[in-house]
């Protein structure tokens, strides 16, 4: 059985399923997080660059929408200029779980662990995993470069087992997990949970523009591109005019400021305006395996039912 009663991720999170929803900037709001939490996973609100007052409103909204006793999380994007504000919002509102990404979470762990908050950093290397375990992290999300948005260098297939061997706290695999097969694969590699992002863009409760959802559904195996490598922060998105322009500027070795400027406001353009030409359609390679829009609950129960079926065949 995959879902053992003593699954450490379920125990740490207080969830039915060992599944965390990715903290997708602009996408992961109270509506999405509450749908995932009410379906038995851990819904996560993305702080991203949200001003603290708006973030507080989002947390209050999620608390209203989430059934009593079910946890939720806040993702702090450490590269953001508002990361410190988000940390203080997490303290003020006693958010049960905090995930972090895109940086070293030492300060977050120092501030939140004494308060009893569960802290789960997203890491992209063995060194980072070892460091955050020492700093008191409760678990890590090992994110492979199949994932969408800001990514590291290593694939899920090689990152998960190396991190699982290197640390004692639970490993949660992210990057490419979108089906029951993906869950079984992650567990076979040593994970005790999964983080799923791209799949939830295409759930009914996700409020992104319908053009964004359609672009994810239409994506095929080679539909994503990684841009921003020359800037030191590679980002995976669906290919469009924006990624082509990034590729042109990077090939020409244009000044970093010019390349940075091209990205400004583009995630909003994708999520809010549905601009599929010039918006930043962040998505993982797994977009190719997302073929429909359905409720978050059906996504989660379907994934775990498929995983159990596969294991019945194997055992
Ligand atoms: O953070 C993510 N994914 C993201 S953040 C984001 S917002 C954004 N918008 C525009 C440009 C760039 C970002 C979109 N997607 N995933 C988690 C993740 N964390 N992936 C890789 C890392 C990471 C990288 C370096 C974690 C730790 C780290 O440590 C550096 C250090 O100093 O140790």
């Amino acid at each position: 059985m995959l879902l053992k009663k003593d699954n450490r991720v379920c125990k740490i999170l207080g969830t039915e399923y060992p599944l965390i929803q990715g903290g997708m900037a602009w996408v992961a709001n109270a509506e999405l997080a509450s749908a995932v939490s009410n379906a038995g996973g851990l819904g996560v609100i993305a702080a991203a660059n949200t001003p603290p007052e708006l973030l507080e409103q989002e947390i209050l909204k999620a608390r209203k929408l989430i059934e009593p006793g079910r946890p939720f999380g806040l993702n702090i994007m450490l590269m953001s200029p508002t990361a410190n504000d988000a940390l203080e919002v997490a303290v003020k509102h006693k958010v049960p779980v905090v995930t972090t990404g895109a940086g070293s979470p030492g300060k977050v762990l120092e501030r939140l662990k004494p308060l009893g908050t569960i802290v789960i950093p997203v890491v992209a290397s063995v060194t980072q995993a070892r460091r955050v375990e020492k700093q008191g992290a409760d678990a890590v999300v090992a994110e492979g470069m199949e994932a969408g948005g800001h990514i590291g260098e290593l694939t899920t297939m090689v990152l998960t087992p190396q991190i699982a061997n290197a640390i004692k706290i639970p490993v949660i695999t992210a990057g490419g997990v979108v089906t029951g097969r993906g869950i079984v694969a992650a567990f076979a590699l040593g994970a005790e949970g999964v983080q799923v992002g791209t799949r939830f863009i295409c759930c009914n409760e996700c409020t992104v523009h319908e053009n964004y959802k359609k672009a994810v559904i239409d994506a095929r195996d080679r539909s994503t591109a990684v841009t921003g490598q020359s800037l030191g922060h590679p980002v995976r998105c669906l290919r469009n005019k924006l990624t082509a322009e990034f590729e042109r500027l990077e090939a020409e070795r244009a000044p970093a400021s010019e390349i940075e400027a091209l990205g400004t406001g583009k995630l909003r353009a994708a999520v809010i305006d549905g601009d599929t030409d010039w918006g930043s359609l962040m998505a993982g390679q797994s977009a190719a395996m997302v073929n429909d829009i359905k409720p978050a609950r059906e996504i989660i129960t379907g994934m775990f039912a498929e995983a159990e079926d596969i294991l019945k065949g194997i055992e």
Side-chain angles (χ1 to χ4, degrees):
M1 281 287 280
L2 180 76
L3 283 180
K4 295 192 194 93
K5 275 223 154 53
D6 55 353
N7 176 284
R8 288 198 294 168
V9 173
C10 289
K11 271 195 179 161
I12 289 170
L13 300 175
T15 55
E16 256 170 80
Y17 296 99
L19 177 143
I20 300 182
Q21 166 238 313
M24 299 167 282
W26 280 94
V27 176
N29 57 15
E31 281 86 356
L32 179 60
S34 58
V36 172
S37 284
N38 285 336
L42 185 84
V44 172
I45 295 169
N49 291 338
T50 312
E53 313 77 50
L54 289 182
L55 187 57
E56 292 194 66
Q57 282 177 25
E58 216 53 35
I59 289 170
L60 295 175
K61 198 196 277 183
R63 278 229 154 89
K64 272 202 190 124
L65 293 170
I66 296 172
E67 295 157 10
R70 295 199 187 268
F72 71 100
L74 177 72
N75 175 268
I76 302 180
M77 211 275 271
L78 295 165
M79 266 174 13
S80 167
T82 61
N84 273 332
D85 296 332
L87 177 56
E88 292 313 313
V89 168
V91 172
K92 180 175 168 193
H93 290 269
K94 299 189 167 60
V95 174
V97 182
V98 167
T99 63
T100 66
S104 202
K107 230 179 111 179
V108 174
L109 285 157
E110 246 174 59
R111 180 88 173 98
L112 293 180
K113 281 320 298 169
L115 307 175
T117 310
I118 300 297
V119 181
I120 305 183
V122 179
V123 298
S125 74
V126 176
T127 307
Q128 289 162 8
R130 282 210 174 97
R131 189 191 309 144
V132 300
E133 179 180 54
K134 273 206 197 101
Q135 290 169 332
D138 295 275
V140 299
V141 173
E143 189 184 87
M145 54 82 85
E146 296 93 321
H150 176 60
I151 52 170
E153 280 176 35
L154 301 173
T155 61
T156 298
M157 187 83 164
V158 297
L159 184 64
T160 301
Q162 290 187 75
I163 292 184
N165 282 342
I167 61 176
K168 294 197 170 64
I169 55 174
V171 179
I172 297 159
T173 288
V177 183
V178 76
T179 59
R181 283 178 168 172
I183 296 175
V184 174
F187 277 60
L189 295 172
E192 294 169 66
V194 291
Q195 180 181 278
V196 175
T198 302
R199 185 62 187 96
F200 288 116
I201 296 173
C202 293
C203 74
N204 296 95
E205 299 89 345
C206 178
T207 57
V208 304
H209 197 285
E210 65 182 77
N211 293 355
Y212 196 156
K213 294 188 182 188
K214 186 170 182 305
V216 171
I217 288 172
D218 291 345
R220 298 172 54 168
D221 53 352
R222 302 181 60 234
S223 294
T224 70
V226 178
T227 60
Q229 221 122 25
S230 65
L231 303 174
H233 47 88
V235 172
R236 184 182 299 283
C237 297
L238 298 179
R239 287 181 203 277
N240 60 5
K241 289 183 177 159
L242 177 69
T243 61
E245 183 64 6
F246 264 117
E247 277 162 359
R248 191 182 70 77
L249 290 177
E250 293 197 74
E252 276 178 5
R253 300 184 183 279
S257 57
E258 196 182 328
I259 305 174
E260 296 270 12
L262 179 63
T264 308
K266 296 300 197 293
L267 188 53
R268 184 187 195 286
V271 172
I272 308 292
D273 309 329
D275 183 349
T276 50
D277 287 334
W278 289 101
S280 177
L281 297 164
M282 291 187 187
Q285 290 183 334
S286 65
M289 293 182 275
V290 176
N291 301 313
D292 56 7
I293 297 172
K294 54 190 180 187
R297 183 180 302 277
E298 282 179 30
I299 292 174
I300 296 172
T301 55
M303 285 177 72
F304 280 93
E306 189 195 7
E308 296 292 358
D309 283 348
I310 293 167
L311 287 175
K312 272 184 214 148
I314 294 174
E315 279 167 354

